[in-house]
Amino acid sequence: MKVLIAHSSIIILSALSVIIPGTTAKLIYITVLLTGSFFLIRRLLRSEKQKIVTACESEKARLEEKLKRKEKELEEKEQEYSNIRKEKDNQEIDKAFKPITSSLREKVKIIPVLNGQLRAVIEHTEKAAMDLSKSFMNINKKAKEQVKEVSAVFGDLSEESGDNNQSVLLSMKEVLSRIITNFNSVTEIIKKSQSATAKIIERAEAVKDIVRKTDNIADSSKVLAINATIEAARAGAHGKGFSVVASEFRKLAEDSESANKEIHSIIDKVTEETRHVYKETEEGVKRSNEITMEAGEMLKNALGQINNAIAQARDKLADLSRHAESLARDISTIVVSIQFQDITRQRIEHVIEPLEEFAKELNSLKEELENSSSLADFASRDHAAWLVNKYTMETEKELMNRTLMNVDFCSE
Amino acid sequence: MGKKALIVDDSASMRQMINFTLDEEGWEVAEASNGKEGLDQLHLTHPQLVITDIHMPEMNGIEFIKNVRTASEFKFTPIIVLTTESEKSMQEKGKEAGATAWIVKPFTPEKLKEVVKKVCG
């Protein structure tokens, strides 16, 4: 409308310019007219532009709203499609798994039984391990005690103990040495006795010389008494008293002779007996020397044998100690081996625990299958990562990784 | 008074083997089959040495060690961990909790004796 008014105004004003007289006036009028027309047209254009922009923005908002609606619709359609697909998948899975659901129901019941068996194995092996370790530890203990006891006994027999008490064998050696010394002493005593006996014989000979002299005196006294008796007889009555004295003197000489004979006899007897003793003592010394030498030799041999026995016993003891040490080492190895029961127990437990969780999951899965639900959650689970968290031993992890290299059971 | 040690392990055969080994060295031994029982025995026997497993029911070894260290009496008591656990990260956890030494099973009696001597001075 405004454009029409503007156009009409310009046409009317242009027609007026024809009517206005004079060229200069016409030019001024046309200039004013053109300027006015320019501003009027510009204003009209701005107004129109604003209208167009407003219209465009409105259209854009409308279109955006429409796009959003369409997008939402698309999303809903997709969701619907996904649900239909999921339902279809579920139906297919259900169809595929339905035949094994009943079988699964039965198999799920087996897992606790298997776990029970494994726990029974753990229990039995643990008991066996305890019995074994107890027996071996006792053997080890007894072997050590035996070595200790034998060492103590051997020490008592052969070595000096710390409390100033001599060992039995050392005491025996000392006693035997003393016996040899005593034998030597006895021989010396016998030798001295022999020497004393020789002196007795010597003295007896000296006494015999003296007695021989008294024999001569007795003989002379006897001759003298006979002469005195003859002389007394010659003197007659005056010689009677003298005759009695001579007679007594003769008797005394005879007694003296008789005593000398007896002394001779005794000295001879003593000398003979002493000689006999001397001879026997000489034999004794000889025999004693022989016995001492023999005993010395025997004792030397005995001591040698004792020393050999001690050396052999020491060797045997060293062997016994070595065997006990070897036994301790073997038992140490056995102790290490027995500990594999504990390690095995833990590994079995690491099998039982996931199996128990599997059983739980299979139970819920079975229920889900029976309720026509999905297997997707179970299938999407990362069992390898789950097991890694269960395992604590390097060997378990290594075995799992080795197995995974060959079998990708997660994707199956 | 004799030296007292506490063994905490859920395996009876392991407890027995550790017991024999310590007995040879003149230790008087108390036993527990998990961390919870271990704490009871700890306050009952006041041991100078604790040997514990890591993976146990009721209360595991790490929790047990943390609990032991909270008692001022046992702040410096040597604790040897004897376990099948060989993970470095778990060993670090044990160390942070307050473990003194870590032995991975299987162990030899000689090895255990050596570590006991080392941690008990």
Side-chain angles (χ1 to χ4, degrees):
Chain A
M1 190 62 174
K2 281 179 181 174
V3 175
L4 276 173
I5 294 165
H7 278 283
S8 306
S9 305
I10 291 165
I11 292 162
I12 294 163
L13 289 170
S14 299
L16 282 172
S17 71
V18 177
I19 301 163
I20 291 169
T23 312
T24 309
K26 275 184 181 174
L27 279 170
I28 291 166
Y29 177 78
I30 289 164
T31 307
V32 171
L33 183 67
L34 285 171
T35 308
S37 301
F38 171 76
F39 282 109
L40 184 66
I41 289 162
R42 198 177 73 168
R43 195 172 172 185
L44 284 169
L45 284 171
R46 272 185 185 168
S47 166
E48 287 305 312
K49 185 188 169 188
Q50 188 58 44
K51 279 179 189 169
I52 292 164
V53 167
T54 309
C56 282
E57 278 177 354
S58 167
E59 185 62 18
K60 186 188 168 193
R62 195 182 62 79
L63 286 171
E64 276 178 351
E65 183 62 32
K66 198 176 174 183
L67 184 68
K68 270 184 188 171
R69 270 204 313 278
K70 289 288 177 195
E71 277 176 353
K72 202 177 173 187
E73 277 173 23
L74 184 68
E75 209 174 286
E76 282 170 2
K77 289 282 178 197
E78 274 178 357
Q79 185 61 44
E80 199 180 329
Y81 175 75
S82 168
N83 286 343
I84 292 165
R85 183 69 194 263
K86 209 172 175 181
E87 201 176 327
K88 201 179 168 193
D89 285 350
N90 285 345
Q91 282 169 359
E92 280 174 10
I93 290 167
D94 288 346
K95 200 178 166 187
F97 278 89
K98 215 99 187 179
I100 62 164
T101 311
S102 55
S103 157
L104 186 66
R105 197 182 298 124
E106 292 308 309
K107 283 188 171 59
V108 165
K109 288 178 191 167
I110 293 171
I111 293 177
V113 176
L114 296 177
N115 284 349
Q117 296 285 4
L118 287 172
R119 288 199 187 280
V121 168
I122 289 174
E123 208 175 295
H124 289 145
T125 52
E126 175 139 35
K127 195 178 174 298
M130 279 184 78
D131 291 345
L132 273 174
S133 69
K134 195 177 177 182
S135 303
F136 282 117
M137 289 292 194
N138 278 335
I139 289 169
N140 194 20
K141 199 176 175 184
K142 277 177 189 164
K144 282 179 181 170
E145 280 172 2
Q146 208 173 12
V147 170
K148 213 172 165 182
E149 279 170 17
V150 172
S151 297
V153 171
F154 182 74
D156 288 346
L157 277 173
S158 65
E159 287 161 9
E160 275 188 43
S161 54
D163 51 359
N164 297 328
N165 289 329
Q166 276 197 334
S167 70
V168 174
L169 289 176
L170 280 177
S171 298
M172 275 173 69
K173 279 166 83 174
E174 204 176 294
V175 167
L176 292 174
S177 298
R178 268 191 212 155
I179 289 170
I180 294 175
T181 312
N182 288 343
F183 267 127
N184 285 327
S185 302
V186 168
T187 309
E188 281 305 309
I189 289 164
I190 295 170
K191 272 182 182 171
K192 277 180 188 169
S193 167
Q194 189 190 20
S195 172
T197 312
K199 274 183 183 166
I200 290 169
I201 293 167
E202 223 170 81
R203 297 271 161 81
E205 287 300 325
V207 170
K208 270 174 88 175
D209 282 345
I210 293 166
V211 173
R212 262 186 227 110
K213 280 177 187 169
T214 55
D215 274 347
N216 291 333
I217 292 168
D219 286 342
S220 298
S221 299
K222 227 166 105 181
V223 171
L224 201 62
I226 290 165
N227 287 337
T229 304
I230 293 165
E231 286 301 325
R234 269 185 200 162
H238 295 289
K240 239 178 178 172
F242 190 70
S243 172
V244 173
V245 171
S247 173
E248 285 298 318
F249 193 76
R250 191 174 51 84
K251 203 180 169 188
L252 196 66
E254 279 171 2
D255 285 345
S256 177
E257 190 185 10
S258 167
N260 276 351
K261 272 180 186 168
E262 203 172 325
I263 287 167
H264 266 294
S265 167
I266 289 167
I267 288 172
D268 284 343
K269 208 174 176 184
V270 167
T271 306
E272 196 188 328
E273 280 175 0
T274 308
R275 278 186 202 285
H276 185 69
V277 169
Y278 182 84
K279 209 178 169 185
E280 278 191 348
T281 310
E282 199 176 44
E283 279 293 315
V285 170
K286 200 180 163 190
R287 185 74 191 129
S288 178
N289 273 333
E290 279 171 11
I291 287 170
T292 305
M293 276 179 73
E294 211 173 290
E297 199 63 34
M298 278 167 73
L299 290 176
K300 201 177 162 188
N301 288 338
L303 288 176
Q305 281 173 356
I306 288 170
N307 285 334
N308 283 341
I310 290 172
Q312 277 179 5
R314 192 172 281 132
D315 288 348
K316 291 276 178 203
L317 186 66
D319 281 349
L320 195 64
S321 293
R322 272 198 299 279
H323 289 148
E325 279 167 21
S326 169
L327 187 69
R329 276 197 301 278
D330 290 344
I331 286 169
S332 190
T333 313
I334 291 164
V335 166
V336 171
S337 303
I338 292 170
Q339 285 172 66
F340 281 104
Q341 181 278 327
D342 182 49
I343 293 166
T344 309
R345 175 187 67 87
Q346 289 194 34
R347 290 186 74 164
I348 292 174
E349 277 174 358
H350 293 161
V351 173
I352 291 173
E353 284 163 19
L355 275 177
E356 280 171 348
E357 290 187 36
F358 271 138
K360 275 185 202 164
E361 284 183 4
L362 286 173
N363 259 323
S364 61
L365 187 68
K366 181 196 75 185
E367 283 164 16
E368 281 176 11
L369 283 170
E370 282 166 353
N371 295 327
S372 300
S373 294
S374 170
L375 273 169
D377 287 347
F378 181 74
S380 65
R381 184 167 177 176
D382 186 353
H383 292 90
W386 178 64
L387 275 176
V388 163
N389 287 331
K390 289 268 168 212
Y391 293 155
T392 57
M393 291 174 228
E394 285 298 313
T395 44
E396 289 176 311
K397 290 175 185 172
E398 275 172 24
L399 180 65
M400 193 193 77
N401 288 332
R402 263 206 316 276
T403 313
L404 285 178
M405 279 173 77
N406 298 322
V407 183
D408 186 4
F409 67 79
C410 294
S411 62
E412 283 181 356
Chain B
M1 207 167 74
K3 305 177 282 181
K4 284 181 188 168
L6 171 64
I7 305 166
V8 188
D9 199 309
D10 58 331
S11 162
S13 61
M14 287 306 298
R15 288 201 301 273
Q16 185 178 260
M17 265 181 269
I18 301 167
N19 195 332
F20 272 124
T21 308
L22 292 182
D23 181 60
E24 280 187 346
E25 297 295 295
W27 288 87
E28 196 182 310
V29 180
E31 293 182 14
S33 61
N34 60 57
K36 220 171 169 184
E37 273 183 26
L39 287 176
D40 293 342
Q41 284 294 323
L42 185 83
H43 295 291
L44 210 68
T45 57
H46 304 276
Q48 286 91 53
L49 170 70
V50 175
I51 296 177
T52 181
D53 190 11
I54 287 294
H55 301 289
M56 294 180 288
E58 300 276 336
M59 185 190 283
N60 69 31
I62 301 288
E63 285 304 311
F64 169 68
I65 295 169
K66 282 180 188 169
N67 275 291
V68 172
R69 289 302 184 214
T70 54
S72 59
E73 187 192 344
F74 305 110
K75 219 159 189 68
F76 303 105
T77 304
I79 301 176
I80 299 172
V81 175
L82 197 53
T83 175
T84 53
E85 178 65 62
S86 51
E87 275 288 327
K88 283 275 169 208
S89 59
M90 193 57 97
Q91 289 190 23
E92 283 302 318
K93 275 185 192 171
K95 209 174 166 185
E96 279 167 22
T100 319
W102 193 284
I103 303 173
V104 178
K105 290 175 190 172
F107 71 93
T108 61
E110 288 70 30
K111 172 77 182 169
L112 180 61
K113 284 176 192 172
E114 185 191 315
V115 175
V116 167
K117 271 182 194 152
K118 204 173 163 186
V119 297
C120 293

